[in-house]
Each structure stands twice: as structure tokens, then as C-alpha cells.
């Protein structure tokens, strides 16, 4: 069985051109939304988009975790 995927329409904040990105369903039980970074197909700038967390790889969520201070 093929993995479920969802296509999201994105408008680049730099060049204002629309493009599409597709993400596979990675965690069907996940709730809420999260941010991911995609690259514009036209100008190659990075664009932050918000998508449901069920389409975000678990490794990608490290950015939102708090960490302990280093070195004390």
C-alpha cells in the first residue's frame, strides 16, 4: 500500500510565486500543527510553512524542544 500524502500550496514570501510541496503521512495519531522549512522552486529562498504535525517527520520536531544549558 502506498503511503498517504498531502499536497500543500505555498506562496513564496520573497518572489510571490506559488508552488506545491508534498509530504507523506508519517504520524497519523499526531495532533496540532508545526512549522517546516521548504525551498522555493523559483528563487531558492527558504520559506517557513505551517502544516499538520501528522505530516512532519519526528526528527524535524527537535527545533521545538527546550534544552538544558550547556557547561554549568
Amino acid at each position: 500500500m502506498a503511503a498517504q500524502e498531502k499536497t500543500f500550496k505555498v506562496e513564496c514570501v520573497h518572489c510571490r510565486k506559488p508552488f506545491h510541496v508534498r509530504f507523506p503521512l508519517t504520524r497519523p495519531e499526531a495532533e496540532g500543527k508545526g512549522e517546516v522549512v521548504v525551498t522555493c522552486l523559483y528563487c531558492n529562498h527558504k520559506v517557513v510553512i505551517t502544516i499538520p504535525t501528522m505530516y512532519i517527520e519526528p526528527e524535524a520536531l527537535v527545533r521545538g524542544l527546550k534544552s538544558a544549558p550547556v557547561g554549568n
Side-chain angles (χ1 to χ4, degrees):
M1 181 171 100
Q4 292 178 332
E5 295 182 333
K6 183 162 182 176
T7 301
F8 298 91
K9 184 176 180 180
V10 179
E11 181 179 307
C12 179
V13 296
H14 302 281
C15 70
R16 300 288 181 208
K17 291 185 179 179
F19 62 97
H20 293 87
V21 292
R22 184 177 299 158
F23 289 92
L25 180 64
T26 58
R27 300 179 305 145
E29 73 289 345
E31 296 180 6
K33 294 186 177 195
E35 294 180 336
V36 294
V37 177
V38 297
T39 302
C40 175
L41 301 173
Y42 301 101
C43 69
N44 289 325
H45 278 92
K46 304 290 185 195
V47 181
V48 178
I49 62 170
T50 302
I51 63 172
T53 54
M54 65 179 62
Y55 296 101
I56 301 174
E57 293 284 340
E59 300 85 40
L61 297 177
V62 172
R63 178 175 159 222
L65 299 175
K66 290 185 179 181
S67 60
V70 177
N72 282 335

